[in-house]
Amino acid sequence: MPTPIDHDESELLLAFEQGQLKSVATKSELAKFRAAARATALKDRRVNIRLSSGDLSDIQIKALEEGIPYQTLIASVLHKYVTGRLTENPAPSKPAPKSPVSKSGR
């Protein structure tokens, strides 16, 4: 189920639907964006992969949270990886262990 939209988002959607928003992109930027969208959307090859049941379930849950089909999520993650836009988050650093303090204060 898609995430409900908040008040600000609903105002933006209403303004868009009423034609009140104007693009600030130049013609060359729009052409570049259209070309990128076409290249990204072009799916001309089929691939079969084997996944563990647990991984597939987790992917399907993430896709539901995002409101997209799970195959689209998989394709998006792979695309981001091969274009270098998918990066690992650094592991959270653990606080250094406190050294024990003796009762004598030494």
Side-chain angles (χ1 to χ4, degrees):
M1 177 192 304
T3 306
I5 61 175
D6 65 22
H7 178 70
D8 292 333
E9 292 169 328
S10 61
E11 283 183 358
L12 282 171
L13 180 59
L14 182 62
F16 173 77
E17 290 171 344
Q18 294 176 348
Q20 297 173 352
L21 301 178
K22 304 282 186 215
S23 175
V24 295
T26 65
K27 286 185 179 187
S28 64
E29 288 174 324
L30 288 174
K32 181 176 76 171
F33 297 147
R34 282 190 190 103
R38 272 191 215 101
T40 301
L42 179 63
K43 295 183 174 92
D44 60 349
R45 300 294 300 264
R46 180 178 296 268
V47 175
N48 293 316
I49 60 173
R50 293 190 180 273
L51 300 172
S52 71
S53 297
D55 285 345
L56 181 57
S57 292
D58 290 345
I59 289 168
Q60 290 172 324
I61 290 169
K62 290 284 187 191
L64 278 173
E65 290 170 356
E66 296 294 322
I68 60 174
Y70 75 93
Q71 292 165 323
T72 302
L73 176 63
I74 293 170
S76 174
V77 169
L78 290 173
H79 177 74
K80 288 177 183 176
Y81 176 75
V82 299
T83 59
R85 294 184 310 157
L86 184 69
T87 58
E88 278 190 54
N89 288 336
S93 59
K94 295 180 182 179
K98 295 181 180 179
S99 57
V101 177
S102 67
K103 290 183 180 180
S104 64
R106 291 189 222 176

